[in-house]
Amino acid sequence: MVCMGAAALAVGLSSMSADTTQPYSSNFIDDFKTLDLTNWSVAEYDFSHPHFDTDWRKSNVSVDAAGLKLQLFPHSAGLNPFVGASLRRHEKTHFGRYSAILRPAKGDGLVTGFFVYSGPAYQTRHDEIDIEFLGRDTTLIHLATFVDGELENHFVDLGFDAAVTEREYGFDWYPDKIIWWVDGCEIYRWSQKDGPVPSVPGYVFANLWAVDPALDSWAGRPARETLAQSYVNSVRFTPFLGLE
């Protein structure tokens, strides 16, 4: 793994040229001492999607002493057999550094996600950059991109169990490449020589959900009585200005 110290990271970010005309979100950090609804939307609806066995409820997103808590449990009051948690940043973001300090949920059929998404719901094509943890094996991290709905994905062995303690996970999004990292150490990169790179500005999301049986081979099947929670201690974004 390639590891970069804090000083090197600061130099890399400051070397980007400034552009005061950038139309997207400026840098932000949210440490979730409270849930600021002026910056985040929390999902509250039944979700009809072939890959999800999960509805969304605001009550499944809360803040306690450990940070932002995302919960999942069975329910019978919606379209799907589980109810999970999803929140989205209000403003779009684009090229830059994204990171979250988080601890994913463990359990068959569960997915904890931190990602940037844009798609038809926002009147754009489907571009996406993902960090996901499958609860069936939280020693692996799932990294993925979508460009106009076309998926590229890769699993990386972390060498530790992500569900045991919080760590910082992130990616750097450039026009020609994406570099994923954990605690400042590069774990994977995708560049134009490998295939298309996402380019459409999107929204930052964090979520916890249970998969539909159609994804059993990928994530496993959650037991009907599954109860789970994941934690997000902070989310950060620093734009790479001048790259718009």
Side-chain angles (χ1 to χ4, degrees):
M1 293 191 296
V2 178
C3 296
M4 299 170 285
L9 295 179
V11 169
L13 293 176
S14 64
S15 66
M16 298 295 174
S17 59
D19 180 358
T20 58
T21 66
Q22 188 204 29
Y24 310 114
S25 178
S26 59
N27 62 294
F28 68 80
I29 177 171
D30 197 327
D31 60 7
F32 296 113
K33 300 300 183 187
T34 62
L35 179 55
D36 184 354
L37 295 179
T38 64
N39 290 318
W40 297 92
S41 294
V42 181
E44 174 80 25
Y45 58 92
D46 291 350
F47 192 33
S48 178
H49 190 287
H51 293 159
F52 288 70
D53 238 6
T54 307
D55 298 320
W56 309 117
R57 294 293 185 270
K58 290 181 180 178
S59 57
N60 283 29
V61 179
S62 60
V63 173
D64 65 20
L68 182 75
K69 181 165 66 174
L70 309 180
Q71 293 181 284
L72 179 138
F73 49 82
H75 83 150
S76 57
L79 184 64
N80 293 292
F82 294 97
V83 60
S86 177
L87 70 161
R88 171 182 64 82
R89 188 82 180 176
H90 285 161
E91 292 186 301
K92 288 183 179 180
T93 51
H94 206 191
F95 303 126
R97 164 158 292 199
Y98 297 78
S99 69
I101 298 175
L102 61 85
R103 175 162 49 93
K106 185 181 284 289
D108 283 350
L110 301 179
V111 181
T112 302
F114 170 64
F115 57 100
V116 177
Y117 171 88
S118 190
Y122 306 110
Q123 293 75 55
T124 71
R125 75 182 194 189
H126 178 194
D127 276 21
E128 187 172 342
I129 305 171
D130 291 344
I131 290 175
E132 292 179 314
F133 299 89
L134 307 189
R136 72 188 305 180
D137 186 354
T138 48
T139 67
L140 302 176
I141 187 171
H142 180 242
L143 311 174
T145 64
F146 288 84
V147 177
D148 199 13
E150 293 297 318
L151 170 67
E152 295 288 347
N153 65 329
H154 189 79
F155 282 96
V156 173
D157 188 339
L158 291 168
F160 59 85
D161 187 346
V164 171
T165 189
E166 293 82 3
R167 291 179 182 257
E168 187 174 25
Y169 304 90
F171 55 88
D172 296 343
W173 180 14
Y174 297 91
D176 62 343
K177 63 181 175 291
I178 302 163
I179 302 170
W180 286 269
W181 48 271
V182 178
D183 290 338
C185 296
E186 179 181 334
I187 58 170
Y188 188 69
R189 68 171 59 199
W190 178 266
S191 66
Q192 286 180 335
K193 67 179 178 60
D194 304 305
V197 174
S199 61
V200 178
Y203 296 94
V204 175
F205 281 79
N207 63 16
L208 172 61
W209 52 285
V211 304
D212 183 86
L215 295 184
D216 279 6
S217 61
W218 180 62
R221 179 171 295 195
R224 187 65 185 86
E225 66 276 12
T226 295
L227 303 172
Q229 62 187 30
S230 58
Y231 276 95
V232 181
N233 283 0
S234 74
V235 172
R236 296 173 180 254
F237 169 68
T238 302
F240 294 163
L241 300 178
L243 296 184
E244 307 302 334

